[in-house]
Amino acid sequence: MYRETIHHAAGVTEGTAHERHATMLLASAVRRGYAVEFTPAGGALITWTRHLFGPGGNSAVRAERSISLEPLTPVGALSATTRLDLNLIAGDRHTRYAEKDGRRVIAGLTWQIPAFTTARLRARRLVVEEGDRLRLSLTARLGLLAQQHRTRTTDPRGWYRPSAGDPYGVAGLNRPGGRAGMLRDGGSAAMCSCGALSGWGGGRDEARRLTRDHRRAVAAAFIAEHLASVPAPAVSRCDCGGCAECMTG
Ligand SMILES: [Zn+2]
């Protein structure tokens, strides 16, 4: 379950969204080309911009819209062991609950997760039952992905005194405030824990844009591959009172 907060034309609407509804929202967002970012807690933020026209029809106003999905049970930190268990569950379509010595365990075709760990995964809402099989919850999947893609930007070097061999060493001799002879380097590196991003921004804002674009690309690819098959319902069944309208509003 998610707490859903929508910023739309008429203001802010808050409600709750079931996993299926959240999945549908993410799939629709990507179909519409909206930006999506996942959070390490297992939530998501959908953002887009509406271009509104004034009475004359020619003065475009940009209006920012968003839908935030915040899990009622956040995923929390995922240890290496927990990640292994989750990958085991995700990779075996025979995963189900079984009984061992009178206690509930998660079992696949050739493996079992001990009762104590099973109880913890269940209490943390990382797994959900679907018919007679067990799969990862949406929060677990989004949280796993967000935790695999932890991005950061480095501190710009700032003002520095160039070394003797620096070709720009004679620049800035007349700078005030004790900065005579110093140069400024505002560059900032953009990196992701997945290793696929190593960018360089002329400033920290630019580096942050690179990390944001990377997180959005990862989310869009995941949704297109794993969630896009969820059809948008003809009639919205959202507790918030109408996401179908909100997404176009
Ligand atoms: Zn990454």
Side-chain angles (χ1 to χ4, degrees):
M1 282 285 270
Y2 287 91
R3 181 175 300 110
E4 181 182 12
T5 309
I6 307 170
H7 286 87
H8 52 82
V12 180
T13 307
E14 289 192 344
T16 51
H18 289 282
E19 181 175 302
R20 190 175 165 73
H21 181 74
T23 304
M24 184 272 289
L25 279 179
L26 294 172
S28 309
V30 164
R31 267 196 293 270
R32 290 165 190 265
Y34 297 168
V36 182
E37 283 186 60
F38 297 152
T39 70
L45 177 67
I46 303 169
T47 49
W48 69 99
T49 305
R50 294 283 293 162
H51 296 277
L52 308 172
F53 294 92
N58 51 4
S59 55
V61 179
R62 286 162 59 89
E64 304 301 328
R65 302 276 190 258
S66 68
I67 298 179
S68 130
L69 295 164
E70 205 184 319
L72 297 186
T73 309
V75 163
L78 297 171
S79 67
T81 320
T82 306
R83 286 201 304 271
L84 281 176
D85 286 339
L86 295 180
N87 286 330
L88 206 55
I89 295 165
D92 187 340
R93 60 192 176 84
H94 296 96
T95 304
R96 63 195 155 78
Y97 281 131
E99 211 183 284
K100 194 188 179 198
D101 304 330
R103 301 183 68 190
R104 189 202 315 257
V105 294
I106 297 173
L109 259 189
T110 56
W111 50 268
Q112 268 185 7
I113 292 174
F116 176 74
T117 312
T118 294
R120 282 181 54 100
L121 295 177
R122 199 164 171 257
R124 292 176 68 183
R125 306 267 195 280
L126 297 177
V127 290
V128 286
E129 254 180 312
E130 197 172 63
D132 59 355
R133 57 166 292 238
L134 197 73
R135 62 170 175 78
L136 295 193
S137 64
L138 184 64
T139 53
R141 297 173 86 186
L142 304 192
L144 263 177
L145 203 70
Q147 294 189 26
Q148 278 163 12
H149 295 273
R150 289 193 182 271
T151 56
R152 68 187 186 90
T153 58
T154 58
D155 253 339
R157 188 175 172 194
W159 291 99
Y160 69 101
R161 196 167 293 284
S163 60
D166 194 315
Y168 304 107
V170 293
L173 282 173
N174 298 317
R175 288 205 173 96
R179 287 170 181 160
M182 294 181 78
L183 293 172
R184 184 174 157 74
D185 179 1
S188 168
M191 286 167 286
C192 182
S193 54
C194 73
L197 173 71
S198 61
W200 183 257
R204 200 157 205 181
D205 285 348
E206 195 184 331
R208 287 197 175 115
R209 266 197 299 281
L210 291 173
T211 59
R212 193 195 59 196
D213 289 349
H214 172 68
R215 292 192 304 269
R216 288 179 174 180
V218 166
F222 174 84
I223 293 166
E225 186 179 347
H226 299 286
L227 309 181
S229 58
V230 176
V235 180
S236 172
R237 294 189 186 282
C238 177
D239 293 353
C240 74
C243 287
E245 293 77 26
C246 294
M247 267 209 171
T248 49

mmCIF file of all heavy atoms in Angstrom, residues 153-154 156 186-190 200-213:
data_model
loop_
_atom_site.group_PDB
_atom_site.id
_atom_site.type_symbol
_atom_site.label_atom_id
_atom_site.label_comp_id
_atom_site.label_asym_id
_atom_site.label_seq_id
_atom_site.Cartn_x
_atom_site.Cartn_y
_atom_site.Cartn_z
ATOM 1 N N THR A 153 27.387 13.205 -6.243
ATOM 2 C CA THR A 153 28.205 14.166 -6.990
ATOM 3 C C THR A 153 29.337 14.615 -6.074
ATOM 4 O O THR A 153 29.166 14.629 -4.857
ATOM 5 C CB THR A 153 27.382 15.395 -7.411
ATOM 6 O OG1 THR A 153 26.822 16.009 -6.247
ATOM 7 C CG2 THR A 153 26.265 15.028 -8.371
ATOM 8 N N THR A 154 30.474 14.953 -6.660
ATOM 9 C CA THR A 154 31.615 15.347 -5.818
ATOM 10 C C THR A 154 31.618 16.849 -5.600
ATOM 11 O O THR A 154 31.078 17.619 -6.409
ATOM 12 C CB THR A 154 32.952 14.950 -6.466
ATOM 13 O OG1 THR A 154 33.024 15.587 -7.754
ATOM 14 C CG2 THR A 154 33.050 13.441 -6.642
ATOM 15 N N PRO A 156 32.871 20.445 -5.815
ATOM 16 C CA PRO A 156 33.787 21.119 -6.749
ATOM 17 C C PRO A 156 35.077 21.505 -6.019
ATOM 18 O O PRO A 156 35.055 21.741 -4.810
ATOM 19 C CB PRO A 156 33.005 22.361 -7.169
ATOM 20 C CG PRO A 156 31.582 22.050 -6.873
ATOM 21 C CD PRO A 156 31.597 21.134 -5.679
ATOM 22 N N GLY A 186 34.826 24.785 -10.826
ATOM 23 C CA GLY A 186 33.485 24.457 -10.316
ATOM 24 C C GLY A 186 33.041 23.067 -10.716
ATOM 25 O O GLY A 186 31.920 22.674 -10.431
ATOM 26 N N GLY A 187 33.909 22.329 -11.395
ATOM 27 C CA GLY A 187 33.523 21.024 -11.937
ATOM 28 C C GLY A 187 33.171 20.011 -10.866
ATOM 29 O O GLY A 187 33.719 20.028 -9.764
ATOM 30 N N SER A 188 32.214 19.142 -11.197
ATOM 31 C CA SER A 188 31.754 18.149 -10.220
ATOM 32 C C SER A 188 31.503 16.838 -10.961
ATOM 33 O O SER A 188 30.926 16.823 -12.045
ATOM 34 C CB SER A 188 30.473 18.681 -9.572
ATOM 35 O OG SER A 188 29.827 17.680 -8.830
ATOM 36 N N ALA A 189 31.955 15.745 -10.364
ATOM 37 C CA ALA A 189 31.764 14.437 -11.003
ATOM 38 C C ALA A 189 30.429 13.846 -10.587
ATOM 39 O O ALA A 189 29.970 14.050 -9.468
ATOM 40 C CB ALA A 189 32.900 13.502 -10.603
ATOM 41 N N ALA A 190 29.790 13.137 -11.507
ATOM 42 C CA ALA A 190 28.513 12.471 -11.243
ATOM 43 C C ALA A 190 28.737 10.970 -11.333
ATOM 44 O O ALA A 190 29.253 10.475 -12.335
ATOM 45 C CB ALA A 190 27.469 12.906 -12.274
ATOM 46 N N TRP A 200 30.686 14.127 -15.925
ATOM 47 C CA TRP A 200 31.369 15.308 -15.419
ATOM 48 C C TRP A 200 30.519 16.523 -15.738
ATOM 49 O O TRP A 200 30.139 16.729 -16.898
ATOM 50 C CB TRP A 200 32.747 15.439 -16.059
ATOM 51 C CG TRP A 200 33.525 16.589 -15.535
ATOM 52 C CD1 TRP A 200 33.730 17.792 -16.135
ATOM 53 C CD2 TRP A 200 34.188 16.665 -14.265
ATOM 54 N NE1 TRP A 200 34.467 18.610 -15.330
ATOM 55 C CE2 TRP A 200 34.765 17.948 -14.175
ATOM 56 C CE3 TRP A 200 34.339 15.764 -13.190
ATOM 57 C CZ2 TRP A 200 35.485 18.364 -13.057
ATOM 58 C CZ3 TRP A 200 35.059 16.180 -12.088
ATOM 59 C CH2 TRP A 200 35.632 17.464 -12.029
ATOM 60 N N GLY A 201 30.202 17.310 -14.703
ATOM 61 C CA GLY A 201 29.423 18.519 -14.911
ATOM 62 C C GLY A 201 30.292 19.740 -14.721
ATOM 63 O O GLY A 201 31.176 19.741 -13.866
ATOM 64 N N GLY A 202 30.043 20.793 -15.520
ATOM 65 C CA GLY A 202 30.783 22.039 -15.374
ATOM 66 C C GLY A 202 30.533 22.678 -14.009
ATOM 67 O O GLY A 202 31.344 23.444 -13.509
ATOM 68 N N GLY A 203 29.417 22.356 -13.390
ATOM 69 C CA GLY A 203 29.085 22.808 -12.042
ATOM 70 C C GLY A 203 28.331 21.700 -11.339
ATOM 71 O O GLY A 203 27.983 20.691 -11.949
ATOM 72 N N ARG A 204 28.079 21.918 -10.025
ATOM 73 C CA ARG A 204 27.422 20.836 -9.288
ATOM 74 C C ARG A 204 25.981 20.623 -9.760
ATOM 75 O O ARG A 204 25.496 19.493 -9.781
ATOM 76 C CB ARG A 204 27.438 21.122 -7.794
ATOM 77 C CG ARG A 204 27.219 19.836 -7.034
ATOM 78 C CD ARG A 204 27.734 19.881 -5.643
ATOM 79 N NE ARG A 204 28.041 18.531 -5.175
ATOM 80 C CZ ARG A 204 28.499 18.275 -3.978
ATOM 81 N NH1 ARG A 204 28.744 19.269 -3.152
ATOM 82 N NH2 ARG A 204 28.740 17.035 -3.614
ATOM 83 N N ASP A 205 25.295 21.708 -10.154
ATOM 84 C CA ASP A 205 23.912 21.563 -10.636
ATOM 85 C C ASP A 205 23.883 20.664 -11.870
ATOM 86 O O ASP A 205 23.002 19.823 -12.013
ATOM 87 C CB ASP A 205 23.315 22.936 -10.993
ATOM 88 C CG ASP A 205 22.951 23.713 -9.740
ATOM 89 O OD1 ASP A 205 22.958 23.100 -8.649
ATOM 90 O OD2 ASP A 205 22.682 24.922 -9.849
ATOM 91 N N GLU A 206 24.854 20.890 -12.756
ATOM 92 C CA GLU A 206 24.903 20.077 -13.973
ATOM 93 C C GLU A 206 25.181 18.608 -13.625
ATOM 94 O O GLU A 206 24.588 17.700 -14.203
ATOM 95 C CB GLU A 206 26.001 20.625 -14.896
ATOM 96 C CG GLU A 206 25.917 20.108 -16.317
ATOM 97 C CD GLU A 206 27.087 20.598 -17.163
ATOM 98 O OE1 GLU A 206 27.621 21.696 -16.899
ATOM 99 O OE2 GLU A 206 27.474 19.855 -18.083
ATOM 100 N N ALA A 207 26.077 18.385 -12.647
ATOM 101 C CA ALA A 207 26.380 17.013 -12.227
ATOM 102 C C ALA A 207 25.141 16.371 -11.624
ATOM 103 O O ALA A 207 24.861 15.190 -11.858
ATOM 104 C CB ALA A 207 27.526 17.018 -11.218
ATOM 105 N N ARG A 208 24.379 17.152 -10.843
ATOM 106 C CA ARG A 208 23.142 16.599 -10.237
ATOM 107 C C ARG A 208 22.123 16.259 -11.307
ATOM 108 O O ARG A 208 21.382 15.287 -11.181
ATOM 109 C CB ARG A 208 22.551 17.611 -9.247
ATOM 110 C CG ARG A 208 23.369 17.713 -7.976
ATOM 111 C CD ARG A 208 22.605 18.386 -6.841
ATOM 112 N NE ARG A 208 23.407 18.344 -5.635
ATOM 113 C CZ ARG A 208 23.908 19.421 -5.016
ATOM 114 N NH1 ARG A 208 23.652 20.635 -5.495
ATOM 115 N NH2 ARG A 208 24.644 19.291 -3.935
ATOM 116 N N ARG A 209 22.096 17.064 -12.384
ATOM 117 C CA ARG A 209 21.183 16.748 -13.490
ATOM 118 C C ARG A 209 21.573 15.418 -14.135
ATOM 119 O O ARG A 209 20.711 14.623 -14.507
ATOM 120 C CB ARG A 209 21.201 17.869 -14.545
ATOM 121 C CG ARG A 209 20.102 18.918 -14.340
ATOM 122 C CD ARG A 209 19.886 19.729 -15.587
ATOM 123 N NE ARG A 209 21.068 20.466 -16.008
ATOM 124 C CZ ARG A 209 21.469 21.618 -15.450
ATOM 125 N NH1 ARG A 209 20.791 22.159 -14.466
ATOM 126 N NH2 ARG A 209 22.545 22.228 -15.877
ATOM 127 N N LEU A 210 22.874 15.178 -14.247
ATOM 128 C CA LEU A 210 23.337 13.917 -14.845
ATOM 129 C C LEU A 210 22.899 12.724 -13.997
ATOM 130 O O LEU A 210 22.440 11.703 -14.532
ATOM 131 C CB LEU A 210 24.862 13.919 -14.983
ATOM 132 C CG LEU A 210 25.453 14.892 -16.006
ATOM 133 C CD1 LEU A 210 26.976 14.909 -15.913
ATOM 134 C CD2 LEU A 210 25.030 14.488 -17.422
ATOM 135 N N THR A 211 23.024 12.846 -12.661
ATOM 136 C CA THR A 211 22.624 11.726 -11.804
ATOM 137 C C THR A 211 21.111 11.530 -11.869
ATOM 138 O O THR A 211 20.625 10.402 -11.910
ATOM 139 C CB THR A 211 23.042 11.937 -10.326
ATOM 140 O OG1 THR A 211 22.448 13.137 -9.838
ATOM 141 C CG2 THR A 211 24.538 11.994 -10.179
ATOM 142 N N ARG A 212 20.371 12.642 -11.894
ATOM 143 C CA ARG A 212 18.904 12.542 -11.973
ATOM 144 C C ARG A 212 18.480 11.877 -13.290
ATOM 145 O O ARG A 212 17.627 10.994 -13.305
ATOM 146 C CB ARG A 212 18.302 13.947 -11.864
ATOM 147 C CG ARG A 212 16.815 13.972 -11.623
ATOM 148 C CD ARG A 212 16.264 15.345 -11.895
ATOM 149 N NE ARG A 212 16.527 15.735 -13.274
ATOM 150 C CZ ARG A 212 16.437 16.978 -13.740
ATOM 151 N NH1 ARG A 212 16.120 17.964 -12.934
ATOM 152 N NH2 ARG A 212 16.672 17.237 -15.014
ATOM 153 N N ASP A 213 19.112 12.285 -14.387
ATOM 154 C CA ASP A 213 18.783 11.690 -15.689
ATOM 155 C C ASP A 213 19.073 10.183 -15.680
ATOM 156 O O ASP A 213 18.327 9.397 -16.258
ATOM 157 C CB ASP A 213 19.579 12.360 -16.813
ATOM 158 C CG ASP A 213 19.083 13.781 -17.072
ATOM 159 O OD1 ASP A 213 18.017 14.143 -16.529
ATOM 160 O OD2 ASP A 213 19.770 14.522 -17.801
#
